[in-house]
Amino acid sequence: MPELPEVEVIRQDLQAEVVGATILAASVAGSPNARRVVRRHPAPAALEAALAGSRILDVGRRGKNLVLRLDEAALVVHLGMSGQLRLAPAGAPPAPHTHVVLTLDSGPQLRYVDPRAFGQMFVTTHELPELARVGPDPLDGAMTAHRLSSLLAGHRMKVKALLMDQRFVSGIGNIYSDEMLFQARLHPFRMCDSLVASEVRRLHRAGPQVLQAAIGHRGTSAADAQYRDLRGRVGEHGGYLEVYQRGGQACRRCGATIQRARWANRSAHFCPGCQL
DNA sequence: CAACCGACCTGTTCGC
DNA sequence: TGCGAACAGGTCGGTT
């Protein structure tokens, strides 16, 4: 499932591959799930019309959202659980669950594929009002140690839940919250307002460290995380995970058995020896 | 309002 | 071997 590192890899690749191209035509499929993906546009034809003829000026990211800046608007793409963007020759047969196709004047098509259709695409203004409540990015320096400290002090909830709440910090999901809590040696179910200064500092350091390592490995394609890049290639970070999906295996740091705990329809992985 | 939880989806895995 | 149940989790919306 794409989180910040995977979205950032896609952003970088898009920046290199499609900036400067003009969208000749946009096409939304007629299936219920395609309609669901463009659910912010009651009439999909309005989305198609807004995109046709637009030039792609820049590709940015807000949390897990990709933002393609166009001449007179912005195209926002959220990959949800199973969304993929693919670059493919215009003649190539579409993969199953292809919901939106953008034909570029540079030759290829940019295709949105999403079996579960949890993701979405929409066109909006450059001010991005729909993303106004997306919290600070862990990588752009906006989340200072002091800011993290007061954020944590103000909430009575599990620290893992806060890390995954996009209003507070953006881009972190189940994989990387587990991994950065391991790196910070904090139990995922610790209450936010129970963390002392040294623990907050460890968490503040662990966040960017874990995310940058994952970006360096071009993201995580775990067994149930079918992330692929624009060319369909997998990421290599799965081999470097310390706790996520390693329940029952030995911790590489202390040898204890990694635990997997169920919590609110979700799972958390942690080392009972290292994370207190 | 803050915190929590079920629903939405389909491909894959698990158990009988 | 086959089939159905369980599982995966990002986000929205309803509830407490």
Side-chain angles (χ1 to χ4, degrees), chain A residues 28-58:
Chain A
V28 178
S31 64
N33 272 355
R35 302 291 291 259
R36 188 174 157 73
V37 164
V38 299
R39 54 191 173 273
R40 286 193 192 258
H41 297 277
L47 173 70
E48 296 173 341
L51 291 173
S54 295
R55 199 158 77 100
I56 302 171
L57 304 179
D58 185 56

PDB file of all heavy atoms in Angstrom, chain A residues 28-58:
ATOM      1  N   VAL A  28     -12.375   8.484 -18.850  1.00  0.00           N
ATOM      2  CA  VAL A  28     -12.787   7.757 -17.644  1.00  0.00           C
ATOM      3  C   VAL A  28     -13.646   6.581 -18.081  1.00  0.00           C
ATOM      4  O   VAL A  28     -14.590   6.750 -18.857  1.00  0.00           O
ATOM      5  CB  VAL A  28     -13.597   8.673 -16.695  1.00  0.00           C
ATOM      6  CG1 VAL A  28     -14.054   7.896 -15.461  1.00  0.00           C
ATOM      7  CG2 VAL A  28     -12.779   9.890 -16.298  1.00  0.00           C
ATOM      8  N   ALA A  29     -13.315   5.387 -17.591  1.00  0.00           N
ATOM      9  CA  ALA A  29     -14.082   4.198 -17.954  1.00  0.00           C
ATOM     10  C   ALA A  29     -15.501   4.296 -17.395  1.00  0.00           C
ATOM     11  O   ALA A  29     -15.776   5.107 -16.504  1.00  0.00           O
ATOM     12  CB  ALA A  29     -13.385   2.940 -17.427  1.00  0.00           C
ATOM     13  N   GLY A  30     -16.383   3.465 -17.908  1.00  0.00           N
ATOM     14  CA  GLY A  30     -17.783   3.551 -17.517  1.00  0.00           C
ATOM     15  C   GLY A  30     -18.173   2.677 -16.347  1.00  0.00           C
ATOM     16  O   GLY A  30     -19.313   2.698 -15.904  1.00  0.00           O
ATOM     17  N   SER A  31     -17.222   1.922 -15.802  1.00  0.00           N
ATOM     18  CA  SER A  31     -17.552   0.974 -14.738  1.00  0.00           C
ATOM     19  C   SER A  31     -17.895   1.702 -13.437  1.00  0.00           C
ATOM     20  O   SER A  31     -17.477   2.843 -13.225  1.00  0.00           O
ATOM     21  CB  SER A  31     -16.358   0.055 -14.493  1.00  0.00           C
ATOM     22  OG  SER A  31     -15.262   0.816 -14.013  1.00  0.00           O
ATOM     23  N   PRO A  32     -18.643   1.043 -12.569  1.00  0.00           N
ATOM     24  CA  PRO A  32     -18.953   1.653 -11.265  1.00  0.00           C
ATOM     25  C   PRO A  32     -17.695   2.041 -10.495  1.00  0.00           C
ATOM     26  O   PRO A  32     -17.667   3.104  -9.864  1.00  0.00           O
ATOM     27  CB  PRO A  32     -19.735   0.550 -10.536  1.00  0.00           C
ATOM     28  CG  PRO A  32     -20.331  -0.264 -11.632  1.00  0.00           C
ATOM     29  CD  PRO A  32     -19.360  -0.222 -12.773  1.00  0.00           C
ATOM     30  N   ASN A  33     -16.668   1.208 -10.531  1.00  0.00           N
ATOM     31  CA  ASN A  33     -15.462   1.543  -9.784  1.00  0.00           C
ATOM     32  C   ASN A  33     -14.717   2.731 -10.393  1.00  0.00           C
ATOM     33  O   ASN A  33     -14.082   3.498  -9.669  1.00  0.00           O
ATOM     34  CB  ASN A  33     -14.539   0.328  -9.674  1.00  0.00           C
ATOM     35  CG  ASN A  33     -14.869  -0.519  -8.449  1.00  0.00           C
ATOM     36  OD1 ASN A  33     -15.720  -0.148  -7.648  1.00  0.00           O
ATOM     37  ND2 ASN A  33     -14.183  -1.641  -8.315  1.00  0.00           N
ATOM     38  N   ALA A  34     -14.788   2.884 -11.709  1.00  0.00           N
ATOM     39  CA  ALA A  34     -14.173   4.071 -12.326  1.00  0.00           C
ATOM     40  C   ALA A  34     -14.909   5.329 -11.873  1.00  0.00           C
ATOM     41  O   ALA A  34     -14.283   6.347 -11.539  1.00  0.00           O
ATOM     42  CB  ALA A  34     -14.195   3.946 -13.846  1.00  0.00           C
ATOM     43  N   ARG A  35     -16.223   5.244 -11.816  1.00  0.00           N
ATOM     44  CA  ARG A  35     -17.005   6.383 -11.320  1.00  0.00           C
ATOM     45  C   ARG A  35     -16.650   6.698  -9.876  1.00  0.00           C
ATOM     46  O   ARG A  35     -16.633   7.858  -9.463  1.00  0.00           O
ATOM     47  CB  ARG A  35     -18.513   6.074 -11.424  1.00  0.00           C
ATOM     48  CG  ARG A  35     -18.980   5.760 -12.828  1.00  0.00           C
ATOM     49  CD  ARG A  35     -18.915   6.996 -13.693  1.00  0.00           C
ATOM     50  NE  ARG A  35     -19.904   7.972 -13.301  1.00  0.00           N
ATOM     51  CZ  ARG A  35     -21.065   8.165 -13.932  1.00  0.00           C
ATOM     52  NH1 ARG A  35     -21.337   7.453 -15.015  1.00  0.00           N
ATOM     53  NH2 ARG A  35     -21.914   9.076 -13.528  1.00  0.00           N
ATOM     54  N   ARG A  36     -16.384   5.620  -9.149  1.00  0.00           N
ATOM     55  CA  ARG A  36     -16.025   5.794  -7.745  1.00  0.00           C
ATOM     56  C   ARG A  36     -14.693   6.533  -7.617  1.00  0.00           C
ATOM     57  O   ARG A  36     -14.514   7.392  -6.743  1.00  0.00           O
ATOM     58  CB  ARG A  36     -15.952   4.413  -7.092  1.00  0.00           C
ATOM     59  CG  ARG A  36     -15.783   4.463  -5.613  1.00  0.00           C
ATOM     60  CD  ARG A  36     -15.867   3.061  -5.014  1.00  0.00           C
ATOM     61  NE  ARG A  36     -15.178   3.053  -3.737  1.00  0.00           N
ATOM     62  CZ  ARG A  36     -15.658   3.632  -2.636  1.00  0.00           C
ATOM     63  NH1 ARG A  36     -16.820   4.243  -2.676  1.00  0.00           N
ATOM     64  NH2 ARG A  36     -14.968   3.598  -1.511  1.00  0.00           N
ATOM     65  N   VAL A  37     -13.738   6.208  -8.490  1.00  0.00           N
ATOM     66  CA  VAL A  37     -12.419   6.835  -8.434  1.00  0.00           C
ATOM     67  C   VAL A  37     -12.517   8.345  -8.709  1.00  0.00           C
ATOM     68  O   VAL A  37     -11.779   9.136  -8.132  1.00  0.00           O
ATOM     69  CB  VAL A  37     -11.465   6.136  -9.432  1.00  0.00           C
ATOM     70  CG1 VAL A  37     -10.228   6.988  -9.687  1.00  0.00           C
ATOM     71  CG2 VAL A  37     -11.065   4.759  -8.900  1.00  0.00           C
ATOM     72  N   VAL A  38     -13.435   8.740  -9.558  1.00  0.00           N
ATOM     73  CA  VAL A  38     -13.598  10.173  -9.860  1.00  0.00           C
ATOM     74  C   VAL A  38     -14.817  10.746  -9.136  1.00  0.00           C
ATOM     75  O   VAL A  38     -15.476  11.662  -9.627  1.00  0.00           O
ATOM     76  CB  VAL A  38     -13.699  10.410 -11.390  1.00  0.00           C
ATOM     77  CG1 VAL A  38     -12.435   9.936 -12.074  1.00  0.00           C
ATOM     78  CG2 VAL A  38     -14.919   9.710 -11.980  1.00  0.00           C
ATOM     79  N   ARG A  39     -15.081  10.224  -7.934  1.00  0.00           N
ATOM     80  CA  ARG A  39     -16.334  10.528  -7.230  1.00  0.00           C
ATOM     81  C   ARG A  39     -16.523  11.998  -6.917  1.00  0.00           C
ATOM     82  O   ARG A  39     -17.648  12.443  -6.692  1.00  0.00           O
ATOM     83  CB  ARG A  39     -16.442   9.700  -5.949  1.00  0.00           C
ATOM     84  CG  ARG A  39     -15.264   9.814  -4.987  1.00  0.00           C
ATOM     85  CD  ARG A  39     -15.384   8.739  -3.895  1.00  0.00           C
ATOM     86  NE  ARG A  39     -14.226   8.647  -3.009  1.00  0.00           N
ATOM     87  CZ  ARG A  39     -13.153   7.905  -3.273  1.00  0.00           C
ATOM     88  NH1 ARG A  39     -13.066   7.244  -4.420  1.00  0.00           N
ATOM     89  NH2 ARG A  39     -12.161   7.819  -2.417  1.00  0.00           N
ATOM     90  N   ARG A  40     -15.459  12.782  -6.910  1.00  0.00           N
ATOM     91  CA  ARG A  40     -15.634  14.216  -6.661  1.00  0.00           C
ATOM     92  C   ARG A  40     -16.214  14.935  -7.881  1.00  0.00           C
ATOM     93  O   ARG A  40     -16.576  16.111  -7.788  1.00  0.00           O
ATOM     94  CB  ARG A  40     -14.311  14.861  -6.276  1.00  0.00           C
ATOM     95  CG  ARG A  40     -13.861  14.518  -4.877  1.00  0.00           C
ATOM     96  CD  ARG A  40     -12.733  15.414  -4.440  1.00  0.00           C
ATOM     97  NE  ARG A  40     -12.102  14.924  -3.243  1.00  0.00           N
ATOM     98  CZ  ARG A  40     -12.328  15.425  -2.020  1.00  0.00           C
ATOM     99  NH1 ARG A  40     -13.168  16.414  -1.860  1.00  0.00           N
ATOM    100  NH2 ARG A  40     -11.697  14.915  -0.982  1.00  0.00           N
ATOM    101  N   HIS A  41     -16.257  14.230  -9.021  1.00  0.00           N
ATOM    102  CA  HIS A  41     -16.835  14.803 -10.234  1.00  0.00           C
ATOM    103  C   HIS A  41     -18.103  14.031 -10.566  1.00  0.00           C
ATOM    104  O   HIS A  41     -18.035  12.945 -11.135  1.00  0.00           O
ATOM    105  CB  HIS A  41     -15.849  14.712 -11.407  1.00  0.00           C
ATOM    106  CG  HIS A  41     -14.585  15.482 -11.203  1.00  0.00           C
ATOM    107  ND1 HIS A  41     -14.476  16.828 -11.450  1.00  0.00           N
ATOM    108  CD2 HIS A  41     -13.373  15.095 -10.760  1.00  0.00           C
ATOM    109  CE1 HIS A  41     -13.246  17.234 -11.175  1.00  0.00           C
ATOM    110  NE2 HIS A  41     -12.553  16.211 -10.750  1.00  0.00           N
ATOM    111  N   PRO A  42     -19.266  14.576 -10.223  1.00  0.00           N
ATOM    112  CA  PRO A  42     -20.520  13.877 -10.523  1.00  0.00           C
ATOM    113  C   PRO A  42     -20.642  13.535 -12.014  1.00  0.00           C
ATOM    114  O   PRO A  42     -21.196  12.504 -12.365  1.00  0.00           O
ATOM    115  CB  PRO A  42     -21.587  14.878 -10.090  1.00  0.00           C
ATOM    116  CG  PRO A  42     -20.909  15.730  -9.073  1.00  0.00           C
ATOM    117  CD  PRO A  42     -19.486  15.835  -9.506  1.00  0.00           C
ATOM    118  N   ALA A  43     -20.121  14.409 -12.861  1.00  0.00           N
ATOM    119  CA  ALA A  43     -20.098  14.122 -14.297  1.00  0.00           C
ATOM    120  C   ALA A  43     -18.648  13.891 -14.717  1.00  0.00           C
ATOM    121  O   ALA A  43     -17.869  14.846 -14.803  1.00  0.00           O
ATOM    122  CB  ALA A  43     -20.702  15.275 -15.082  1.00  0.00           C
ATOM    123  N   PRO A  44     -18.261  12.625 -14.957  1.00  0.00           N
ATOM    124  CA  PRO A  44     -16.873  12.354 -15.356  1.00  0.00           C
ATOM    125  C   PRO A  44     -16.448  13.143 -16.586  1.00  0.00           C
ATOM    126  O   PRO A  44     -15.258  13.457 -16.748  1.00  0.00           O
ATOM    127  CB  PRO A  44     -16.882  10.851 -15.637  1.00  0.00           C
ATOM    128  CG  PRO A  44     -18.002  10.311 -14.808  1.00  0.00           C
ATOM    129  CD  PRO A  44     -19.038  11.400 -14.790  1.00  0.00           C
ATOM    130  N   ALA A  45     -17.383  13.490 -17.430  1.00  0.00           N
ATOM    131  CA  ALA A  45     -17.043  14.253 -18.638  1.00  0.00           C
ATOM    132  C   ALA A  45     -16.427  15.604 -18.276  1.00  0.00           C
ATOM    133  O   ALA A  45     -15.610  16.141 -19.019  1.00  0.00           O
ATOM    134  CB  ALA A  45     -18.286  14.457 -19.504  1.00  0.00           C
ATOM    135  N   ALA A  46     -16.819  16.138 -17.126  1.00  0.00           N
ATOM    136  CA  ALA A  46     -16.249  17.414 -16.690  1.00  0.00           C
ATOM    137  C   ALA A  46     -14.767  17.257 -16.379  1.00  0.00           C
ATOM    138  O   ALA A  46     -13.952  18.142 -16.680  1.00  0.00           O
ATOM    139  CB  ALA A  46     -17.000  17.930 -15.461  1.00  0.00           C
ATOM    140  N   LEU A  47     -14.398  16.137 -15.784  1.00  0.00           N
ATOM    141  CA  LEU A  47     -12.980  15.859 -15.512  1.00  0.00           C
ATOM    142  C   LEU A  47     -12.219  15.693 -16.820  1.00  0.00           C
ATOM    143  O   LEU A  47     -11.132  16.255 -17.000  1.00  0.00           O
ATOM    144  CB  LEU A  47     -12.853  14.591 -14.654  1.00  0.00           C
ATOM    145  CG  LEU A  47     -11.430  14.078 -14.420  1.00  0.00           C
ATOM    146  CD1 LEU A  47     -10.664  15.007 -13.496  1.00  0.00           C
ATOM    147  CD2 LEU A  47     -11.454  12.672 -13.830  1.00  0.00           C
ATOM    148  N   GLU A  48     -12.815  14.937 -17.743  1.00  0.00           N
ATOM    149  CA  GLU A  48     -12.158  14.720 -19.038  1.00  0.00           C
ATOM    150  C   GLU A  48     -11.925  16.045 -19.754  1.00  0.00           C
ATOM    151  O   GLU A  48     -10.844  16.302 -20.305  1.00  0.00           O
ATOM    152  CB  GLU A  48     -13.023  13.784 -19.905  1.00  0.00           C
ATOM    153  CG  GLU A  48     -13.163  12.396 -19.320  1.00  0.00           C
ATOM    154  CD  GLU A  48     -14.156  11.530 -20.092  1.00  0.00           C
ATOM    155  OE1 GLU A  48     -14.993  12.101 -20.841  1.00  0.00           O
ATOM    156  OE2 GLU A  48     -14.105  10.301 -19.946  1.00  0.00           O
ATOM    157  N   ALA A  49     -12.932  16.908 -19.716  1.00  0.00           N
ATOM    158  CA  ALA A  49     -12.818  18.195 -20.408  1.00  0.00           C
ATOM    159  C   ALA A  49     -11.781  19.099 -19.746  1.00  0.00           C
ATOM    160  O   ALA A  49     -11.050  19.834 -20.421  1.00  0.00           O
ATOM    161  CB  ALA A  49     -14.188  18.890 -20.441  1.00  0.00           C
ATOM    162  N   ALA A  50     -11.719  19.029 -18.425  1.00  0.00           N
ATOM    163  CA  ALA A  50     -10.764  19.883 -17.707  1.00  0.00           C
ATOM    164  C   ALA A  50      -9.322  19.480 -17.995  1.00  0.00           C
ATOM    165  O   ALA A  50      -8.423  20.322 -17.962  1.00  0.00           O
ATOM    166  CB  ALA A  50     -11.040  19.818 -16.201  1.00  0.00           C
ATOM    167  N   LEU A  51      -9.106  18.213 -18.271  1.00  0.00           N
ATOM    168  CA  LEU A  51      -7.735  17.726 -18.474  1.00  0.00           C
ATOM    169  C   LEU A  51      -7.278  17.862 -19.924  1.00  0.00           C
ATOM    170  O   LEU A  51      -6.094  18.112 -20.187  1.00  0.00           O
ATOM    171  CB  LEU A  51      -7.628  16.262 -18.037  1.00  0.00           C
ATOM    172  CG  LEU A  51      -7.762  16.015 -16.529  1.00  0.00           C
ATOM    173  CD1 LEU A  51      -7.801  14.525 -16.222  1.00  0.00           C
ATOM    174  CD2 LEU A  51      -6.600  16.672 -15.785  1.00  0.00           C
ATOM    175  N   ALA A  52      -8.207  17.681 -20.843  1.00  0.00           N
ATOM    176  CA  ALA A  52      -7.827  17.681 -22.256  1.00  0.00           C
ATOM    177  C   ALA A  52      -7.219  19.023 -22.648  1.00  0.00           C
ATOM    178  O   ALA A  52      -7.798  20.086 -22.397  1.00  0.00           O
ATOM    179  CB  ALA A  52      -9.045  17.379 -23.122  1.00  0.00           C
ATOM    180  N   GLY A  53      -6.029  18.979 -23.244  1.00  0.00           N
ATOM    181  CA  GLY A  53      -5.363  20.190 -23.695  1.00  0.00           C
ATOM    182  C   GLY A  53      -4.460  20.837 -22.665  1.00  0.00           C
ATOM    183  O   GLY A  53      -3.754  21.792 -22.966  1.00  0.00           O
ATOM    184  N   SER A  54      -4.477  20.310 -21.432  1.00  0.00           N
ATOM    185  CA  SER A  54      -3.649  20.905 -20.381  1.00  0.00           C
ATOM    186  C   SER A  54      -2.214  20.410 -20.457  1.00  0.00           C
ATOM    187  O   SER A  54      -1.950  19.261 -20.793  1.00  0.00           O
ATOM    188  CB  SER A  54      -4.207  20.550 -18.996  1.00  0.00           C
ATOM    189  OG  SER A  54      -5.472  21.130 -18.818  1.00  0.00           O
ATOM    190  N   ARG A  55      -1.300  21.306 -20.092  1.00  0.00           N
ATOM    191  CA  ARG A  55       0.103  20.922 -20.044  1.00  0.00           C
ATOM    192  C   ARG A  55       0.490  20.643 -18.599  1.00  0.00           C
ATOM    193  O   ARG A  55       0.042  21.333 -17.679  1.00  0.00           O
ATOM    194  CB  ARG A  55       0.988  22.032 -20.614  1.00  0.00           C
ATOM    195  CG  ARG A  55       2.365  21.551 -21.026  1.00  0.00           C
ATOM    196  CD  ARG A  55       2.984  22.505 -22.041  1.00  0.00           C
ATOM    197  NE  ARG A  55       3.492  23.712 -21.401  1.00  0.00           N
ATOM    198  CZ  ARG A  55       4.779  23.895 -21.106  1.00  0.00           C
ATOM    199  NH1 ARG A  55       5.667  22.966 -21.411  1.00  0.00           N
ATOM    200  NH2 ARG A  55       5.181  25.004 -20.540  1.00  0.00           N
ATOM    201  N   ILE A  56       1.320  19.628 -18.388  1.00  0.00           N
ATOM    202  CA  ILE A  56       1.777  19.273 -17.039  1.00  0.00           C
ATOM    203  C   ILE A  56       3.034  20.085 -16.728  1.00  0.00           C
ATOM    204  O   ILE A  56       4.073  19.919 -17.377  1.00  0.00           O
ATOM    205  CB  ILE A  56       2.067  17.762 -16.933  1.00  0.00           C
ATOM    206  CG1 ILE A  56       0.811  16.961 -17.289  1.00  0.00           C
ATOM    207  CG2 ILE A  56       2.562  17.413 -15.523  1.00  0.00           C
ATOM    208  CD1 ILE A  56       1.052  15.456 -17.431  1.00  0.00           C
ATOM    209  N   LEU A  57       2.926  20.975 -15.744  1.00  0.00           N
ATOM    210  CA  LEU A  57       4.025  21.898 -15.448  1.00  0.00           C
ATOM    211  C   LEU A  57       4.944  21.392 -14.353  1.00  0.00           C
ATOM    212  O   LEU A  57       6.126  21.742 -14.311  1.00  0.00           O
ATOM    213  CB  LEU A  57       3.451  23.252 -15.022  1.00  0.00           C
ATOM    214  CG  LEU A  57       2.497  23.920 -16.010  1.00  0.00           C
ATOM    215  CD1 LEU A  57       2.003  25.246 -15.442  1.00  0.00           C
ATOM    216  CD2 LEU A  57       3.173  24.127 -17.359  1.00  0.00           C
ATOM    217  N   ASP A  58       4.392  20.575 -13.461  1.00  0.00           N
ATOM    218  CA  ASP A  58       5.170  20.189 -12.285  1.00  0.00           C
ATOM    219  C   ASP A  58       4.440  19.065 -11.561  1.00  0.00           C
ATOM    220  O   ASP A  58       3.215  18.947 -11.687  1.00  0.00           O
ATOM    221  CB  ASP A  58       5.314  21.400 -11.341  1.00  0.00           C
ATOM    222  CG  ASP A  58       6.213  21.101 -10.160  1.00  0.00           C
ATOM    223  OD1 ASP A  58       7.360  20.699 -10.382  1.00  0.00           O
ATOM    224  OD2 ASP A  58       5.743  21.247  -9.012  1.00  0.00           O
TER     225      ASP A  58
END
